[in-house]
Amino acid sequence: MNEILIPLAYLVASVLFIMGLKGLTHPKTAVRGNRLGATGMLIALVVTLFDQHVLTFEWIIAGLAVGALVGAILAAKIEMTAMPELVAMFNGFGGIASSLVAGAELVKFAGGGSIGAIPVAQFTIAAGTSGLIGMVTFTGSMIAFGKLRGLVSTGVVTYPGAQIVKILFALACLALIVMIVMDPGNIQNYWILMAAAAILGVLAVIPIGGADMPVVVALLNSYSGIAAAATGFVLNNTVLIIAGSLVGASGIILTMIMCKAMNRSLANVLFGTWGDSAQSSMPGADEIYEGRIKTTSAEEVAMMLDGASSVIIVPGYGLAVAQAQHTVRDLSNLLKANGTDVKYAIHPVAGRMPGHMNVLLAEADIPYDELVEMDVVNPAFQQCDVAIVLGANDVVNPVARDDPNSPIAGMPILDADKARTVVIVKRSLSPGFAGIPNPLFAADNTLMFFGDAKKNMLDLVAAIKDS
Amino acid sequence: MELLLLLTVFVLAIFVGFEIITKVPPTLHTPLMSGSNAISGITIIGALLSAGSDHNQITTILGFLAVLFATLNVVGGFMVTNRMLEMFKKKD
């Protein structure tokens, strides 16, 4: 009986996963969608406990209890700014779990256990793939976590022959998979594969700069799905294959979106470094800024905003670092009460993972329909009286559009420079991740409002209330 | 034949994934990532089968660790996604 009921329950779970992801296509249905996914997972988990192969429960209960407790605490406590780290970490855990399952199945097989009706070649190839991808996902995610937390150097770490070492490790992993397929009884090979894949994951992520971590996290997200799907081939289990491939597809799409937003190929993110070329032809910072910087004050900006009918706010990660989201919301509420139209222009790489800025602003109760995507908001800058750029830099740098020799040439940017007046809230003239000066700061229609984003916003709100 | 069926499911699921995920608006990309991440914790099923198989000590230990990691992934992932999505709800 169970032989029919369990697969049927897995089918229900798969359908719930698909419906759950579909729910995520709109903010209104997203909460329900996520719950559908969680329900699918619960169904799959519970019916598995009735599988005839599950004989003892003490270790299962221990793992479930500890994992659920720690997971729940992390999920409840994490700050929204640290979301990329948390996603990277969870991702890694999913990856290593897949590798461990494949290892356990190989041990069973080597000890004479049955693998059911599936061909030995499918079993071993899938197990090797799961071991490789799962461990690369695990250590790669841990390094990404370390970089996002600032525990591991966020710089671009390279050494001579780095690419060759990586290729050698990748080839060694493939050779080990071949050895596992040829001689599945020799379980030693699998442990060596796990170790080699773990080193490969570290080597692959450590050279990548902190600014590129969103792409890496999205790609590793995809890998964790592929590892789960590979484990599905090990166990002959369709729900693992379906769920794994859904996640694999999702991660790939997000990776592509992030690459496009930075105008870089995936290969360039993974193997190249930013700003290798053409830097010499760029004018220096002094040459651009000298004598052209105009500063402003809270009172002046308040007066300007009083007469403005349309304001666009361009939030960057600096805003989140300064924890100024709530003050910005207060400012926009004041402006709206005054009859001013307020929008937020969101660049795809505004936060530290896809859609991160939207989460940070949503946390501050800023309605999602005021957050406008780049392509939609860009034409609006021309009719905009004041653009306030808060802690963003490279994503409003007009050289990306105007100077084909700049390192960020061709990167899609927000056309904040087209606004009648641009107010830049920033601590100093220091460059962003791309390491290049921004001519927008020296433009005729730009005013620099130097200082901490939160303090400046508080001053501005006070100045508007006073006037 | 069995393998072909599994491959069919695999390829079709990837297409379903592409179709759905491309419709997710950029506003929800972070919850999408953490939510799909939780779904990739489906490997927990394999972990349960390993941890409960009572085959030998090594499989039990591997299975236990796999259950632990996968549960963290699943529970943490769905909960934090829920927390984020609640913030996107319109305030009345």
Side-chain angles (χ1 to χ4, degrees), chain A residues 24-25 30 34-35 55-56 59 75-76 78 87 90 94 98 104 221 224 236 242 245 247 354-356 358 365 368-369, chain B residues 2 6 9 13-14 25 27-28 30 33 36-38 40 43 46 52-53 59-60 73 76 78 82-83 85-86 88 90-91:
Chain A
L24 283 175
T25 53
N34 186 53
R35 284 181 187 156
L55 305 170
T56 59
W59 289 105
I78 194 79
V87 170
F90 284 161
S98 289
N221 190 29
S224 74
N236 220 14
I242 294 171
S245 35
V247 179
H356 192 198
N358 305 71
D365 291 333
Y368 61 79
D369 45 15
Chain B
E2 183 86 358
L6 291 180
V9 169
I14 288 178
T27 284
L28 292 177
T30 293
M33 226 157 138
S36 64
N37 193 5
S40 76
T43 200
S53 68
T59 53
T60 306
N73 186 193
F78 280 122
N82 188 62
R83 202 178 132 205
L85 291 173
E86 288 285 352
F88 278 94
K90 271 243 163 111
K91 301 285 178 292

Side-chain angles (χ1 to χ4, degrees), chain A residues 11-71:
Chain A
L11 176 61
V12 171
S14 304
V15 171
L16 287 172
F17 290 150
I18 293 173
M19 285 169 65
L21 286 175
K22 196 160 181 298
L24 283 175
T25 53
H26 197 280
K28 277 188 186 135
T29 54
V31 173
R32 199 178 62 213
N34 186 53
R35 284 181 187 156
L36 285 177
T39 309
M41 190 65 75
L42 188 66
I43 291 174
L45 199 157
V46 170
V47 299
T48 307
L49 295 176
F50 290 100
D51 190 292
Q52 52 169 337
H53 297 104
V54 178
L55 305 170
T56 59
F57 290 92
E58 58 267 41
W59 289 105
I60 290 180
I61 293 167
L64 286 175
V66 177
L69 183 72
V70 178

Side-chain angles (χ1 to χ4, degrees), chain A residues 162 399 401 460:
Chain A
V399 299
R401 204 179 48 215
L460 183 55

Side-chain angles (χ1 to χ4, degrees), chain A residues 32-296:
Chain A
R32 199 178 62 213
N34 186 53
R35 284 181 187 156
L36 285 177
T39 309
M41 190 65 75
L42 188 66
I43 291 174
L45 199 157
V46 170
V47 299
T48 307
L49 295 176
F50 290 100
D51 190 292
Q52 52 169 337
H53 297 104
V54 178
L55 305 170
T56 59
F57 290 92
E58 58 267 41
W59 289 105
I60 290 180
I61 293 167
L64 286 175
V66 177
L69 183 72
V70 178
I73 292 173
L74 283 172
K77 297 269 179 204
I78 194 79
E79 290 190 7
M80 287 300 147
T81 41
M83 193 53 65
E85 288 102 292
L86 187 75
V87 170
M89 191 168 74
F90 284 161
N91 227 345
F93 290 165
I96 195 173
S98 289
S99 292
L100 291 170
V101 171
E105 291 302 308
L106 274 172
V107 171
K108 268 193 230 172
F109 180 70
S114 159
I115 53 169
I118 54 173
V120 178
Q122 175 196 329
F123 174 78
T124 49
I125 293 173
T129 310
S130 171
L132 169 62
I133 301 177
M135 282 313 282
V136 167
T137 307
F138 176 62
T139 55
S141 298
M142 290 304 127
I143 296 293
F145 171 84
K147 287 203 173 219
L148 288 161
R149 275 261 134 181
L151 305 172
V152 179
S153 163
T154 53
V156 177
V157 182
T158 51
Y159 51 94
Q163 309 295 2
I164 294 167
V165 173
K166 268 187 270 181
I167 290 167
L168 286 178
F169 265 95
L171 289 176
C173 288
L174 293 180
L176 282 159
I177 293 177
V178 172
M179 284 160 75
I180 290 165
V181 174
M182 310 278 277
D183 181 15
N186 188 353
I187 195 70
Q188 213 80 24
N189 288 334
Y190 188 77
W191 311 137
I192 303 173
L193 171 67
M194 276 180 86
I199 297 171
L200 181 63
V202 174
L203 293 177
V205 177
I206 206 130
I208 303 173
D212 288 335
M213 280 306 120
V215 183
V216 174
V217 175
L219 188 66
L220 290 169
N221 190 29
S222 169
Y223 285 180
S224 74
I226 296 169
T231 310
F233 281 95
V234 175
L235 298 166
N236 220 14
N237 185 316
T238 46
V239 71
L240 262 80
I241 295 175
I242 294 171
S245 35
L246 290 173
V247 179
S250 155
I252 290 286
I253 291 172
L254 291 173
T255 307
M256 292 310 174
I257 290 172
M258 295 303 278
C259 284
K260 201 173 146 228
M262 298 194 295
N263 191 38
R264 301 174 64 204
S265 70
L266 183 56
N268 182 257
V269 172
L270 296 180
F271 304 113
T273 51
W274 206 346
D276 278 347
S277 57
Q279 196 116 26
S280 54
S281 66
M282 292 279 299
D286 292 342
E287 203 179 317
I288 289 176
Y289 297 146
E290 190 72 66
R292 296 203 184 92
I293 299 293
K294 294 182 293 294
T295 57
T296 186

Side-chain angles (χ1 to χ4, degrees), chain B residues 11 30 33 38-39 41 43-44 49 52 62-63 69 72-73 76 84 87 90:
Chain B
V11 173
T30 293
M33 226 157 138
I39 291 177
T43 200
I44 193 170
L49 293 172
L62 291 175
F69 281 122
L72 254 163
N73 186 193
M84 275 189 276
M87 302 187 314
K90 271 243 163 111

Side-chain angles (χ1 to χ4, degrees), chain B residues 7 14 16-18 20-21 24 26 29-32 37 48 50 53 63 66 72-73 75 90-91:
Chain B
L7 279 174
I14 288 178
V16 171
F18 269 97
I20 298 175
I21 306 296
V24 175
H29 277 167
T30 293
L32 167 68
N37 193 5
L48 295 175
S50 304
S53 68
L72 254 163
N73 186 193
V75 174
K90 271 243 163 111
K91 301 285 178 292

